[in-house]
Amino acid sequence: MFFSFSRFFTSDIAIDLGTANTLVYVKGKGILIREPSIVAINRGDNKICAIGFEAWEMLGKTHRDIEVIRPMRDGVIDDDEVAEDMIRFFIRKVHKNRLFRPRVTICVPSGVTKSEKRIIRDSAEHAGAREVYLIAEPMASALGVGLPVNEPVGSMILDIGGGTTEIAVLSLGGIVNDMSIRVAGDEMDETILQFMRRNYNLLIGERMAEKVKCTIGTATPLEKELNMVVKGRDLVAGIPKAIEVNSVEIREALSEPVDSIVDAVKLTLEKTPPELSADIRDRGIILTGGGSLLKGLDQRLRDETSLPINLADDPMTCVVRGTGMVLDNFEKYEKLLLRN
């Protein structure tokens, strides 16, 4: 009697544990959480002050007793204890009854090591998960887009997240060829931050760098170039300063990370079996992840590869939607999950 009661009230959870953002999908309810993967900690008593949006609001604005950190680095857990607290916070936010432990499916980079898998599993279990399953991000992303991953046809996905860029060719329920590089949205932000420091002696924060990327960052020339005012601290005078920059400058600054992503796509195509290459030639490459929203990136890839390039609908939620599909049809997609 107790067993059936537990099953009735325990909702399975899918988590896209990203470097920049964490999204949580609850079976039968959809995506309930979409918050930054950021935690604020009081250094005095080592207790957590805020997680998610509240911590993000503190980024770059705290006093010496509060530290704002990202427990995820390059798509995997960098700080075990803080990541565990963050996962527990999000699980309890959607699953308030602490008596029952949900089954949790988490997506991970395709290049994750065994030790990194173990850390993710342990963190989720300690945070309250009954069972923990892992799925590769490219596979989850492909499911979220609606690609026929179980059919004998080649599909190619390019998922650009905060910490990693995942590129994969999929067929018959498996990853035929893949590449995971640690160049993505965060690397673009850091490149802009260094550009402003080097060229204008202007020190800016992470939030401003991200704003510049989203507002005027481009991968190809625009018909009408954009401008914006960037605010920070003058490194020479030590006083607040505002500089107007344009999209031409930021495109030049972003050229290195963008080139790295383009080169990785080309290398993946070179290693793809010829029959699947023919399918990709007809079907093209699907772009997902927040980094794929960089202006002109799809056109840059189209020019470099001569292939159809399609940006997914709501690219930031593709991974968690695909992971949610595994929950909704567990027996059908169980074979797609990672082992050990």
Side-chain angles (χ1 to χ4, degrees):
M1 184 69 179
F2 179 79
F3 177 72
S4 60
F5 182 81
S6 173
R7 287 189 62 187
F8 182 79
F9 282 96
T10 302
S11 297
D12 292 341
I13 296 173
I15 301 177
D16 176 7
L17 195 61
T19 304
N21 297 284
T22 294
L23 290 84
V24 179
Y25 174 102
V26 178
K27 186 174 182 179
K29 298 180 181 179
I31 302 171
L32 298 187
I33 288 179
R34 183 172 173 174
E35 297 196 30
S37 303
I38 301 179
V39 179
I41 299 176
N42 189 314
R43 289 179 175 176
D45 54 15
N46 208 33
K47 290 185 178 180
I48 291 178
C49 304
I51 296 175
F53 282 124
E54 289 186 18
W56 185 82
E57 290 290 343
M58 299 179 182
L59 191 62
K61 299 181 179 181
T62 60
H63 52 76
R64 68 184 65 183
D65 293 330
I66 295 179
E67 181 182 13
V68 179
I69 64 173
R70 296 178 182 267
M72 304 295 296
R73 181 77 60 184
D74 298 328
V76 295
I77 291 175
D78 183 56
D79 189 315
D80 302 9
E81 293 183 5
V82 177
E84 182 181 316
D85 288 333
M86 185 178 74
I87 295 170
R88 181 183 292 110
F89 171 81
F90 289 132
I91 289 178
R92 288 180 178 174
K93 196 168 184 178
V94 299
H95 199 279
K96 293 180 173 57
N97 192 331
R98 301 184 185 184
L99 293 176
F100 305 113
R101 296 161 65 89
R103 181 169 61 179
V104 177
T105 304
I106 302 176
C107 58
V108 296
S110 58
V112 68
T113 64
K114 286 186 178 181
S115 61
E116 289 169 339
K117 290 179 188 177
R118 185 177 64 253
I119 291 170
I120 292 171
R121 282 197 177 98
D122 289 347
S123 296
E125 287 173 356
H126 294 158
R130 181 177 82 252
E131 298 173 77
V132 180
Y133 299 96
L134 305 181
I135 184 171
E137 285 183 15
M139 183 64 74
S141 189
L143 285 172
V145 173
L147 295 178
V149 297
N150 284 323
E151 297 179 13
V153 61
S155 300
M156 187 165 179
I157 200 91
L158 171 58
D159 179 64
I160 307 173
T164 62
T165 292
E166 306 285 323
I167 311 155
V169 176
L170 311 155
S171 180
L172 288 171
I175 296 176
V176 178
N177 184 25
D178 71 302
M179 180 174 289
S180 177
I181 61 171
R182 300 191 172 186
V183 177
D186 287 352
E187 182 76 13
M188 295 181 190
D189 295 344
E190 179 63 24
T191 300
I192 291 172
L193 192 150
Q194 295 300 328
F195 172 83
M196 296 304 299
R197 177 195 289 264
R198 185 174 59 251
N199 289 270
Y200 291 104
N201 288 320
L202 185 70
L203 180 64
I204 63 174
E206 293 178 41
R207 292 173 60 178
M208 179 57 72
E210 183 180 16
K211 185 177 180 180
V212 172
K213 177 187 67 179
C214 295
T215 306
I216 63 173
T218 70
T220 55
L222 303 175
E223 289 186 11
K224 184 178 180 181
E225 298 294 349
L226 306 172
N227 298 278
M228 75 170 287
V229 175
V230 181
K231 300 175 184 178
R233 188 180 82 231
D234 190 313
L235 286 168
V236 178
I239 60 175
K241 185 179 179 181
I243 296 287
E244 185 174 58
V245 296
N246 59 57
S247 52
V248 176
E249 295 174 278
I250 302 304
R251 182 166 59 253
E252 182 181 345
L254 291 173
S255 62
E256 186 173 342
V258 170
D259 288 346
S260 296
I261 293 171
V262 172
D263 290 343
V265 170
K266 289 181 177 180
L267 188 57
T268 305
L269 288 169
E270 288 175 10
K271 296 180 178 180
T272 301
E275 291 296 337
L276 296 180
S277 293
D279 291 337
I280 295 170
R281 176 68 186 84
D282 296 333
R283 302 167 61 83
I285 303 173
I286 306 296
L287 301 186
T288 65
S292 65
L293 294 171
L294 181 69
K295 298 178 183 66
L297 182 59
D298 54 345
Q299 184 59 51
R300 172 71 185 277
L301 288 165
R302 204 172 286 123
D303 294 339
E304 295 279 355
T305 64
S306 299
L307 294 173
I309 307 294
N310 302 295
L311 181 63
D313 294 332
D314 196 4
M316 294 185 69
T317 65
C318 290
V319 171
V320 77
R321 282 189 280 125
T323 311
M325 287 179 64
V326 176
L327 293 184
D328 295 337
N329 302 275
F330 194 78
E331 292 182 0
K332 179 180 179 181
Y333 296 118
E334 185 178 5
K335 65 179 183 180
L336 304 181
L337 299 173
L338 296 177
R339 307 297 175 186
N340 301 322

